[in-house]
Amino acid sequence: MIFEQFAAGGCQSYLVGCEKHCVAVLIDPEISLVDRYTAAAARDGLRILYLIDTHTHADHFSATQQLAKRLSVPIVMYRSSPAPFVNLRLDDGEMLAVGDLRFKVMHTPGHTKDSMCLLVEDRVFSGDTLLIGGTGRTDLPSGDPDELYDSLFNRLLLLDPATKVYPAHDYQGRSHTTIGAELTSNPRLQRRKREEFVTMMRNLELNMPTHLTEALRTNMSGGKSVAQMLTEASEAVPFMSLEELKAQCELPANNLIILDVRERDAYQQGHIPGARLLPRGQLELRVNEDLPDPTQRILVYCELGRISTLATATLRQMGFDRATALDGGMKSWREAGYPVQSGIE
């Protein structure tokens, strides 16, 4: 077996392959590591056959969709997953054949309705059902402490105590544990009576994941996260430095259109001298009136540089091929001590 574990901010993902047949699966991939996954597979001469999410993640952004488009391979989840983009839905007890490896599905609801664990050889990929020193929480959408109790005590924990456990998350830098070690030392598993366990899970009072709404939205619907949209936009536009813009502004004959895409009150409080106001929310509706010549050179800026990057990408999509984003924003311009003009246009 070829095995590699990846960590990103507490998220754990796994490339597991058959050395003989040079094929592999990728389990619980996280979107910031897309290039690392493909590089690792290429390094080991592996062809990824399946992209697997053990459940609908609420605390990180899955990379399955992006990788599926890049690699033309199916996305795999448990049959009850709400995600419309899943290509292969598995049921309890079924297996994925990956060369000589066999990944057996154990349906383990509780953290989510669609949670599953994958058992292969001497190890189990437990998703968020069983963590190192903990368990998956049950207070997020489709969570159920009674179901988690059954999944743990009547299924997963009945495996051989020597079975290695590789979870989807660990925030303390640990790589894995075993069924036996968790039975002995995991504090949540010491509540072995159903009533005690369920009561404990219902009273944990945990903080909500930082990106809960956005993660669920993107992982369930196939939509894009804000970070993904910003990354794609920044890859599609050129940038101009603060210093270059200042030099351009000082030229006696300057045909550069400087476009401020903030709201009117921010513009009035202080803007780059000579800048025009066109709020991002009105861009598509006013662009033909305010920017009649698509061949002109346009420099777009906002307060921090993110909205202007999106706006520049939009302008380029609309045919303004000389639109450029400021590398930074009005905040950086002010901090650099460059001239600021206040008032209306």
Side-chain angles (χ1 to χ4, degrees):
M1 178 191 295
I2 296 176
F3 175 81
E4 185 163 356
Q5 184 172 10
F6 303 83
C11 300
Q12 305 293 323
S13 48
Y14 307 93
L15 180 68
V16 189
C18 172
E19 187 172 12
K20 177 180 177 181
H21 295 278
C22 300
V23 289
V25 299
L26 189 57
I27 301 172
D28 289 327
E30 198 272 340
I31 201 162
S32 69
L33 301 180
V34 165
D35 291 332
R36 284 187 58 191
Y37 298 135
T38 55
R43 179 200 64 209
D44 294 334
L46 296 171
R47 179 167 61 93
I48 297 175
L49 295 183
Y50 302 107
L51 302 163
I52 306 172
D53 269 331
T54 55
H55 63 288
T56 301
H57 296 284
D59 45 4
H60 78 257
F61 300 102
S62 172
T64 53
Q65 294 176 81
Q66 189 169 334
L67 285 164
K69 292 176 182 177
R70 181 183 295 194
L71 303 175
S72 298
V73 297
I75 297 172
V76 179
M77 293 188 73
Y78 189 70
R79 65 175 176 82
S80 60
S81 167
F85 49 81
V86 177
N87 307 109
L88 180 58
R89 296 177 182 272
L90 302 179
D91 217 325
D92 186 59
E94 294 179 345
M95 294 190 302
L96 284 177
V98 182
D100 291 337
L101 299 177
R102 297 294 182 269
F103 292 80
K104 183 178 180 180
V105 174
M106 296 178 65
H107 183 215
T108 53
H111 175 60
T112 63
K113 287 285 187 185
D114 63 347
S115 289
M116 68 177 180
C117 298
L118 295 169
L119 182 63
V120 57
E121 294 189 352
D122 63 345
R123 62 199 65 193
V124 64
F125 297 93
S126 61
D128 281 0
T129 299
L130 178 61
L131 306 176
I132 302 174
T135 65
R137 61 196 299 165
T138 58
D139 59 339
L140 299 180
S142 83
D144 187 307
D146 272 294
E147 289 187 336
L148 183 61
Y149 179 89
D150 287 325
S151 294
L152 288 169
F153 290 99
N154 297 329
R155 297 219 66 187
L156 190 57
L157 297 174
L158 299 181
L159 294 174
D160 186 324
T163 303
K164 298 174 184 177
V165 178
Y166 290 90
H169 292 91
D170 185 81
Y171 297 93
Q172 298 182 36
R174 299 167 295 190
S175 64
H176 69 284
T177 182
T178 65
I179 294 292
E182 294 309 302
L183 279 168
T184 300
S185 62
N186 189 321
R188 292 190 190 176
L189 301 184
Q190 307 316 304
R191 309 290 181 93
R192 300 192 181 183
K193 292 183 178 180
R194 178 186 294 272
E195 297 78 9
E196 293 180 351
F197 180 84
V198 169
T199 298
M200 173 192 65
M201 295 303 298
R202 285 178 173 161
N203 291 280
L204 290 177
E205 297 183 355
L206 302 171
N207 294 326
M208 287 292 110
T210 304
H211 303 291
L212 171 64
T213 301
E214 188 178 19
L216 286 175
R217 172 180 60 78
T218 58
N219 293 336
M220 291 175 65
S221 70
K224 295 180 180 180
S225 68
V226 173
Q228 186 178 355
M229 293 177 66
L230 281 168
T231 297
E232 292 176 359
S234 65
E235 292 172 351
V237 304
F239 291 86
M240 182 181 291
S241 69
L242 296 170
E243 296 79 10
E244 178 62 23
L245 176 57
K246 181 175 181 293
Q248 290 284 332
C249 292
E250 293 171 348
L251 293 176
N254 178 24
N255 296 321
L256 179 67
I257 295 176
I258 304 173
L259 206 62
D260 188 321
V261 293
R262 299 175 299 161
E263 294 302 316
R264 178 172 291 274
D265 57 348
Y267 175 87
Q268 291 177 341
Q269 289 175 14
H271 55 267
I272 296 172
R276 302 183 188 179
L277 174 65
L278 180 51
R280 174 65 186 90
Q282 302 175 31
L283 182 64
E284 289 86 350
L285 298 178
R286 288 176 46 185
V287 69
N288 292 329
E289 176 184 348
D290 288 26
L291 301 170
D293 184 357
T295 66
Q296 288 184 297
R297 192 179 186 191
I298 304 168
L299 183 284
V300 186
Y301 77 91
C302 63
E303 185 65 22
L304 299 175
R306 294 192 289 268
I307 294 174
S308 56
T309 300
L310 294 170
T312 305
T314 297
L315 285 171
R316 285 193 160 244
Q317 290 170 1
M318 297 178 74
F320 294 87
D321 293 336
R322 299 187 71 192
T324 303
L326 183 63
D327 187 15
M330 191 65 202
K331 182 175 183 293
S332 298
W333 180 271
R334 287 193 300 267
E335 291 174 348
Y338 293 158
V340 174
Q341 183 177 347
S342 59
I344 60 174
E345 298 173 77

